[in-house]
C-alpha cells in the first residue's frame, strides 16, 4: 500500500517529536495532503461538469487527521460533518469511495448516489449517515451515546438487536465513545444546546469537535456566537471537559484530542474541543468568499494553511527532506488520479433504484404476517389503558424497547416511588412502566422535542427500539426537522445501510372542551406527506393494541397518533386481545355495512359518523362506514370497493378542510373512480381556522354529527 511505502522512508530509530514518532507524523501529513488533493480533484471535476457539487475540507485537515488517530473504526461511533474528509480517510474510507460519492455512482457506499458528496456514512466503520442539516447530528449522537451506556447494562438488548435486520452492524465495546462534529455556525442551532444539556446531565461518553473556521458561509463568528468564542460559552456545563486548540497545527491538535478522548473513554463525562481552523476555498463551489472576506483576512488564512505549514515543519525537523516530500506528494497525486479514473468509469444507479429503501425491505407491516386472531380476556380497557398494557407486553420480551418523553416516567426521583402513585404521562398512557421495567428503560427527558426525536433516532441507529412520546401534537414542531429530514430519510439516504425504527406516540385532536388552539389541533396530513414514515390513528382500544404492537415490531419509523378525546370513552373499549395481537398497517376497518352511501373516516369522527348513521337508519337511509385507522399506508382497496358498492361518498375528517388528509382521499376518488360516482365527492372537515378555547366556537370549527347528517341528505338528493 502506498502509505507503507512512504513510511519506510522514515528512520526506524528516529526520536519522537512532541511525543509522536516519525511514522505517525508522516502518516498525518500524508492523510492531510491526500484530503486536500481529493478536494482539488473534485473542484477540477466540478469545473469540468463531471460532478455536480463540491464542498471542501480545506483548512480543516490537521485537527481531523489528529482526531483520526484516536478514534477506532468499527468500535467508536462517528457522527461527522461535511468537512471531516481527513478524519474519514484516517478511519478507512478510501479515496475511490469518496470519489464514487462525488460522481453519484451506484456503488457509492455512503448513499448510492442519493446524497451530495462529503455526506459521509459507512456502517462497517460505524460512520453514521449525515444529512445536509446543520446541527441535527448533535442530538442523534446523544442517543448513540445513551445506547453505549444502555448496552453496558443490558447485554440481552444487545443480543436482540444483533438478531434484527441490519443486526450485523450492531456492536458495543466497553470503552467505546461517540464522536460528533460541526462548524461554528452549527453551534447556534438549538439542537447543539439541547444535546449538551443531556450529555452533561447523563455524563455521556460523547466527544464534540467544533471546527471553527470563523465563518458560516458569509456570517462571521462574532455575529454567530455571543462573544465570538463557543468554548468560552460552554465552560459552565457541569462535567464537560473543554479544550481549545489551533486546529491547523496537527501536533497541538494531537495532544488536545488525546486528552479529550481519554476523558470520554474513562467515562468521566462528555468533552468538547474547539479547534480554530481556516477555510481557504470559500464555503463551497457555489460561494465566492471574496464577496465578504477582505484581502487581508484571506492572506492571513493562507499563512495559516495547515498543509504548507506542516510540510515546512517536517523538513525543518529533519523528518522528511524536500525530495521525500515531493515524492510523497507525487505518490498521492497518482493515487488520486487512479481513483478518479475509476470513479468516472463507475456504473450509475439505475432509474428504478430510486424507489428502493424508502421503507424496510425486510419487514412489511402491511403483510399478512401481521394478521392475527384475538384472544379476548379480562375486563374491558379504555384506549389509554390499552396503550400502557401493550407497551408493557412488548417491553416484557423485547429489551431493546426504551420509553421516554416529557412526564412519561412514574417519578424521576426513584426514592419517591415508594411513597407516591406515580405520574406515568399527562394522560397516564405510560403509567407503571418505569416501576415495572426500571428507569434506564422508562425515563423523563428535558422539555426539548427536537432532542426527544433526535435521541430516539440515535438509539435506533444502534439497534434499540425507542418508543418516544410527544406530549401534544401542537408541540411537535421543534422536532419537525428531526422527523422530516432525518427520521424519514435515514434509510433512503443511506441506501439501506442505516434504519430508524422509532415509534413516536403523539396525543392529538380536539373535541376537548377548553383545549384551545394549543391543545386541540390536528395536522396528520403534514406527516402523511413524508415518505419513509408510517402514520396510524386508531379509534378503538382493540385497534390500539393491534396497531401499536405492529408499530413496535415493524422496522420503519411510525407516528402513532392517539386521539385525546377517545382515550377514556366507554364506547371504544375492548378486552385484552392477547400478547401477540397485531393488525397490519394499511387495512381499514368496516365499522358498519350499508348500501346508500359511504363515509370514509378515522379518529374521533368515526363515532360521530356512527351516531349520524344510526339517526339516518331510522329514516330509512343505509350508510356504510369505513375507519381507515392507518393513514400511511392507507387501504385504497377498501375505499374503492365501498365506492363501487354505494356510488356516493363522504370523506369526513377532523384535519383542515383544505389540504387536510381527507382532501387527498377525495381527490383520488374523483380522479380514479369518477365513473363509479353518482354524485360529487363531499368533504366534511374542520374549518380552515384554529380550535378555540370557548366550547361554542370549537363546536362550529370541528365536524359534528349534524354536519355529517346534512351532507348525507344533500348527497342523496343527487
Ligand atoms: C438547518 C440548516 N440551515 C441552513 C443550512 C444552509 N447551510 C449549509 S452550511 C451553512 C453554514 C455552516 O457553517 P458552519 O457550521 O460554521 O460550518 P462550516 O461550513 O463553516 O464548516 C449553512 C447556513 C443548512 N444546511 N442546514
Ligand atoms: Mg464555519
Amino acid at each position: 500500500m502506498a502509505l507503507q511505502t512512504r513510511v519506510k522512508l522514515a528512520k526506524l530509530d528516529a526520536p519522537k517529536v512532541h511525543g509522536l514518532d516519525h511514522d505517525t507524523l508522516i502518516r498525518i501529513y500524508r492523510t492531510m495532503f491526500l484530503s486536500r488533493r481529493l478536494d482539488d480533484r473534485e473542484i477540477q471535476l466540478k469545473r469540468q461538469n463531471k460532478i455536480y457539487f463540491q464542498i471542501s475540507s480545506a483548512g480543516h485537515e490537521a485537527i481531523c487527521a489528529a482526531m483520526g488517530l484516536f478514534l477506532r473504526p468499527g468500535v467508536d461511533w462517528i457522527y461527522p460533518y461535511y468537512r471531516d474528509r481527513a478524519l474519514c480517510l484516517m478511519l478507512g474510507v478510501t479515496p475511490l469511495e469518496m470519489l464514487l460519492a462525488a460522481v453519484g455512482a451506484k456503488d457509492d457506499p455512503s448513499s448510492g448516489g442519493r446524497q451530495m458528496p462529503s455526506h459521509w456514512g459507512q456502517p462497517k466503520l460505524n460512520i453514521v449517515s449525515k444529512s445536509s442539516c446543520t446541527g441535527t447530528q448533535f442530538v442523534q449522537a446523544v442517543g448513540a451515546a445513551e445506547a453505549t451506556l444502555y448496552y453496558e447494562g443490558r447485554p440481552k438488548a444487545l443480543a436482540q438487536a444483533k438478531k434484527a435486520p441490519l443486526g450485523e452492524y450492531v456492536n458495543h465495546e466497553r470503552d467505546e465513545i461517540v464522536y460528533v462534529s460541526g462548524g461554528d455556525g452549527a453551534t447556534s442551532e438549538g439542537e447543539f444546546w439541547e444535546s449538551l444539556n443531556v450529555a452533561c446531565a447523563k455524563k455521556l461518553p460523547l466527544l464534540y469537535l467544533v471546527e471553527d473556521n470563523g465563518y458560516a458561509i458569509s456570517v462571521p463568528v462574532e455575529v454567530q456566537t455571543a462573544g465570538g468564542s463557543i468554548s468560552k460559552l460552554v465552560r459552565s456545563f457541569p462535567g464537560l471537559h473543554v479544550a481549545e486548540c489551533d486546529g491547523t497545527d496537527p501536533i497541538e491538535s494531537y495532544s488536545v484530542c488525546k486528552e479529550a478522548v481519554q476523558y470520554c473513554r474513562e467515562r468521566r463525562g462528555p468533552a468538547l474541543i474547539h479547534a480554530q481552523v481556516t477555510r481557504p476555498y470559500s464555503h463551497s463551489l457555489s460561494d465566492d468568499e471574496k464577496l465578504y472576506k477582505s484581502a487581508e483576512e484571506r492572506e492571513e488564512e493562507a499563512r495559516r494553511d495547515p498543509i504548507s505549514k506542516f510540510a515546512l515543519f517536517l523538513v525543518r525537523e529533519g523528518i522528511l527532506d524536500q525530495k521525500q516530500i515531493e515524492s510523497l506528494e507525487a505518490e498521492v497525486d497518482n493515487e488520486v488520479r487512479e481513483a478518479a479514473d475509476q470513479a468516472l468509469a463507475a456504473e450509475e444507479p439505475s432509474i428504478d433504484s430510486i424507489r428502493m429503501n424508502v421503507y424496510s425491505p425486510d419487514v412489511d407491516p402491511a403483510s399478512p404476517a401481521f394478521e392475527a386472531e384475538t384472544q379476548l380476556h379480562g375486563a374491558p380497557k379504555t384506549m389509554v389503558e390499552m396503550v400502557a398494557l401493550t407497551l408493557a407486553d412488548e417491553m416484557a420480551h423485547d429489551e431493546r424497547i426504551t420509553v421516554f418523553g416529557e412526564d412519561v416516567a412514574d417519578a424521576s426521583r426513584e426514592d419517591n416511588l415508594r411513597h407516591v402513585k406515580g405520574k406515568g404521562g399527562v394522560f397516564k398512557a405510560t403509567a407503571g412502566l418505569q416501576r415495572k421495567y426500571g428507569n434506564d428503560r422508562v425515563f423523563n427527558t428535558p422539555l426539548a422535542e427536537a432532542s426527544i426525536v433526535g435521541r430516539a433516532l440515535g438509539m435506533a441507529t444502534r439497534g434499540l427500539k425507542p418508543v418516544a412520546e410527544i406530549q401534544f401534537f401542537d408541540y411537535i414542531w421543534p422536532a419537525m426537522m428531526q422527523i422530516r429530514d432525518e427520521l424519514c430519510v435515514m434509510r433512503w439516504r443511506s441506501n439501506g445501510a442505516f434504519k430508524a425504527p422509532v415509534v413516536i406516540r403523539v396525543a392529538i385532536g380536539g373535541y376537548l372542551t377548553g383545549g384551545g388552539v394549543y391543545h386541540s389541533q390536528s395536522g396528520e396530513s403534514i406527516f402523511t406527506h413524508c415518505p419513509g414514515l408510517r402514520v396510524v390513528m386508531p379509534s378503538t382500544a382493540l385497534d390500539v393494541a393491534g396497531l401499536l404492537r405492529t408499530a413496535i415490531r415493524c422496522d420503519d419509523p411510525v407516528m402513532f397518533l392517539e386521539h385525546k378525546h377517545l382515550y377514556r370513552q366507554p364506547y371504544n373499549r375492548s378486552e385484552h386481545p392477547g400478547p401477540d395481537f397485531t393488525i397490519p398497517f394499511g387495512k381499514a376497518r368496516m365499522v358498519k355495512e350499508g348500501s346508500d352511501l359511504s363515509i370514509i373516516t378515522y379518529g374521533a369522527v368515526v363515532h360521530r359518523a356512527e351516531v349520524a348513521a344510526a339517526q339516518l337508519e331510522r329514516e330509512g337511509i343505509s350508510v356504510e362506514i369505513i375507519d381507515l385507522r392507518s393513514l400511511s399506508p392507507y387501504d385504497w382497496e377498501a375505499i374503492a370497493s365501498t365506492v363501487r358498492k354505494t356510488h356516493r361518498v363522504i370523506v369526513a375528517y377532523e384535519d383542515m378542510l383544505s389540504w387536510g388528509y381527507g382532501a387527498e382521499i377525495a381527490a383520488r376518488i374523483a380522479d380514479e373512480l369518477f365513473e363509479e360516482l353518482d354524485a360529487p365527492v363531499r368533504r366534511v372537515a374542520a374549518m380552515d381556522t384554529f380550535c378555540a378555547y370557548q366550547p361554542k366556537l370549537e363546536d362550529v370549527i370541528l365536524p359534528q354529527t349534524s354536519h355529517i347528517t346534512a351532507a348525507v341528505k344533500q348527497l342523496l338528493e343527487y
Side-chain angles (χ1 to χ4, degrees):
M1 197 180 111
L3 173 61
Q4 283 160 349
T5 320
R6 296 316 308 165
V7 166
K8 278 183 200 139
L9 288 172
K11 287 172 237 153
L12 285 177
D13 55 352
K16 290 193 172 185
V17 179
H18 301 278
L20 284 158
D21 62 36
H22 285 196
D23 286 0
T24 308
L25 289 166
I26 295 169
R27 185 175 170 212
I28 292 174
Y29 182 66
R30 193 180 194 285
T31 306
M32 288 169 57
F33 188 74
L34 178 57
S35 176
R36 182 67 63 93
R37 275 297 198 254
L38 283 162
D39 278 323
D40 290 341
R41 186 63 208 230
E42 281 189 4
I43 289 167
Q44 194 185 39
L45 292 171
K46 169 74 177 80
R47 295 208 163 112
Q48 294 168 342
N49 283 330
K50 289 181 177 161
I51 68 170
Y52 320 99
F53 180 75
Q54 211 283 330
I55 192 155
S56 88
S57 298
H60 292 232
E61 296 97 339
I63 180 73
C64 285
M67 182 64 84
L69 292 172
F70 297 102
L71 298 178
R72 297 169 303 174
V75 175
D76 296 318
W77 282 80
I78 317 293
Y79 285 78
Y81 93 121
Y82 46 81
R83 298 211 203 272
D84 282 5
R85 189 192 291 280
L87 169 66
C88 291
L89 286 169
M90 274 285 183
L91 292 174
V93 182
T94 66
L96 174 61
E97 288 169 336
M98 292 185 172
L99 291 165
L100 287 173
V103 299
K106 170 177 151 280
D107 293 330
D108 149 33
S110 56
S111 81
R114 293 170 175 209
Q115 287 224 85
M116 291 168 148
S118 298
H119 287 51
W120 322 109
Q122 274 212 29
K124 67 178 195 299
L125 301 174
N126 289 359
I127 299 177
V128 179
S129 165
K130 176 74 184 88
S131 69
S132 298
C133 314
T134 51
T136 45
Q137 69 272 31
F138 295 118
V139 280
Q140 293 167 25
V142 163
E146 289 178 282
T148 294
L149 301 188
Y150 191 80
Y151 282 143
E152 245 159 59
R154 299 255 177 202
K156 188 175 161 203
L158 184 66
Q160 289 179 319
K162 281 177 188 281
K163 285 197 201 117
L166 293 180
E168 63 273 30
Y169 298 123
V170 172
N171 51 56
H172 165 69
E173 284 202 18
R174 203 187 40 76
D175 63 346
E176 75 190 20
I177 65 168
V178 179
Y179 160 92
V180 64
S181 64
D184 44 293
T187 65
S188 298
E189 297 284 4
E191 284 142 314
F192 173 73
W193 299 97
E194 289 185 20
S195 78
L196 275 175
N197 187 34
V198 179
C200 292
K202 295 189 104 173
K203 284 185 80 169
L204 296 177
L206 177 55
L207 173 59
Y208 293 80
L209 173 61
V210 178
E211 300 173 31
D212 181 353
N213 53 23
Y215 276 91
I217 309 188
S218 69
V219 182
V221 67
E222 69 276 12
V223 174
Q224 191 70 243
T225 305
S229 165
I230 192 66
S231 45
K232 274 198 188 125
L233 291 189
V234 300
R235 274 184 205 279
S236 61
F237 273 93
L240 181 69
H241 169 92
V242 182
E244 202 175 350
C245 70
D246 176 358
T248 65
D249 176 349
I251 292 170
E252 186 181 325
S253 299
Y254 179 88
S255 62
V256 166
C257 291
K258 185 177 180 183
E259 209 184 334
V261 168
Q262 200 175 343
Y263 186 85
C264 295
R265 284 211 200 287
E266 288 171 359
R267 298 290 180 264
R268 290 157 70 192
L272 184 144
I273 298 174
H274 177 196
Q276 308 285 352
V277 294
T278 61
R279 198 201 67 187
Y281 285 3
S282 295
H283 173 73
S284 71
L285 271 203
S286 319
D287 173 48
D288 177 6
E289 65 177 6
K290 291 195 210 87
L291 296 174
Y292 50 85
K293 259 188 200 174
S294 69
E296 295 73 43
E297 269 180 275
R298 297 197 300 116
E299 272 162 34
E300 171 56 23
E301 271 201 320
R303 265 195 295 280
R304 289 182 60 219
D305 191 285
I307 307 282
S308 50
K309 267 196 326 182
F310 197 45
L312 207 64
F313 171 87
L314 294 176
V315 173
R316 213 176 48 216
E317 296 285 325
I319 294 155
L320 291 177
D321 62 28
Q322 192 55 42
K323 241 178 100 202
Q324 287 171 319
I325 293 258
E326 278 163 22
S327 130
L328 179 154
E329 293 182 353
E331 195 184 78
V332 166
D333 282 341
N334 267 338
E335 193 182 348
V336 171
R337 191 175 313 115
E338 275 170 28
D341 289 347
Q342 247 181 294
L344 286 168
E347 199 183 330
E348 293 180 347
S350 71
I351 300 289
D352 300 346
S353 71
I354 194 76
R355 289 186 188 279
M356 284 167 61
N357 291 314
V358 177
Y359 299 101
S360 168
D362 305 301
V363 182
D364 177 3
S367 71
F370 285 88
E371 280 164 13
E373 295 296 318
T374 54
Q375 296 164 0
L376 294 171
H377 62 275
K381 304 288 177 199
T382 61
M383 257 178 67
V384 74
E385 287 167 335
M386 201 62 95
V387 173
L389 277 175
T390 309
L391 287 171
D393 285 352
E394 288 299 290
M395 290 181 82
H397 65 82
D398 188 347
E399 222 169 86
R400 297 173 307 155
I401 299 174
T402 54
V403 169
F404 52 92
E406 294 153 14
D407 303 289
V408 302
D410 292 314
S412 287
R413 293 181 180 157
E414 269 192 299
D415 283 352
N416 291 1
L417 278 178
R418 278 181 283 133
H419 315 290
V420 298
K421 183 157 177 254
K423 179 79 176 163
V426 291
F427 298 103
K428 301 253 169 291
T430 50
L433 294 178
Q434 179 200 359
R435 211 182 275 277
K436 193 159 184 184
Y437 294 111
N439 63 354
D440 62 333
R441 297 189 70 188
V442 182
F443 53 89
N444 288 327
T445 64
L447 214 170
E449 287 77 7
S451 83
I452 292 174
V453 175
R455 289 164 69 181
L457 175 52
M459 290 181 207
T461 303
R462 297 205 49 194
L464 294 177
K465 171 61 77 174
V467 182
E469 179 178 301
I470 296 290
Q471 201 166 72
F472 291 89
F473 183 86
D474 315 69
Y475 307 128
I476 202 166
W477 312 119
M480 191 66 194
M481 190 150 75
Q482 287 291 341
I483 296 171
R484 177 62 182 83
D485 284 354
E486 301 290 339
L487 201 62
C488 296
V489 195
M490 181 57 102
R491 188 190 289 275
W492 184 87
R493 76 173 187 229
S494 65
N495 206 12
F498 292 95
K499 61 177 183 174
V502 170
V503 179
I504 309 178
R505 297 182 33 256
V506 192
I508 192 171
Y511 303 104
L512 293 186
T513 309
V517 55
Y518 299 111
H519 295 85
S520 295
Q521 296 299 132
S522 296
E524 51 275 18
S525 60
I526 293 166
F527 295 98
T528 53
H529 194 265
C530 301
L533 186 67
R534 314 281 191 180
V535 183
V536 292
M537 189 161 173
S539 70
T540 68
L542 187 64
D543 285 354
V544 162
L547 291 171
L548 183 54
R549 194 168 280 103
T550 302
I552 291 171
R553 295 186 184 186
C554 114
D555 212 25
D556 297 314
V558 181
M559 182 166 286
F560 194 81
L561 299 173
E562 298 169 10
H563 203 293
K564 300 182 289 273
H565 175 76
L566 299 181
Y567 265 153
R568 289 174 219 286
Q569 297 295 346
Y571 54 73
N572 60 15
R573 293 191 298 172
S574 169
E575 292 164 35
H576 194 293
D580 278 315
F581 178 64
T582 50
I583 295 173
F585 288 174
K587 297 281 177 290
R589 179 172 69 96
M590 175 65 78
V591 180
K592 178 189 166 303
E593 297 205 35
S595 52
D596 294 330
L597 183 143
S598 304
I599 300 177
I600 318 285
T601 187
Y602 58 93
V605 186
V606 174
H607 182 66
R608 279 155 185 77
E610 281 182 280
V611 174
Q615 285 170 9
L616 290 160
E617 205 83 36
R618 290 195 283 276
E619 298 176 34
I621 300 168
S622 166
V623 173
E624 181 147 301
I625 302 173
I626 307 281
D627 175 4
L628 287 177
R629 68 185 174 175
S630 172
L631 306 183
S632 179
Y634 66 93
D635 194 344
W636 176 246
E637 293 300 306
I639 296 169
S641 83
T642 192
V643 172
R644 288 194 183 104
K645 178 177 170 188
T646 66
H647 310 289
R648 285 180 165 82
V649 62
I650 290 171
V651 186
Y653 55 103
E654 189 184 333
D655 202 351
M656 300 292 163
L657 178 72
S658 308
W659 303 286
Y661 181 81
E664 174 65 24
I665 302 294
R668 186 165 176 197
I669 294 169
D671 181 352
E672 295 182 29
L673 299 171
F674 183 73
E675 302 287 323
E676 296 290 340
L677 293 170
D678 287 347
V681 185
R682 269 299 299 273
R683 289 167 298 154
V684 174
M687 260 187 207
D688 293 333
T689 178
F690 304 104
C691 277
Y693 165 72
Q694 161 62 248
K696 263 192 193 162
L697 293 177
E698 197 196 64
D699 281 355
V700 291
I701 290 159
L702 295 182
Q704 305 294 346
T705 303
S706 57
H707 303 153
I708 298 171
T709 316
V712 168
K713 289 189 174 167
Q714 205 184 31
L715 270 198
L716 288 174
E717 280 167 16
Y718 260 86

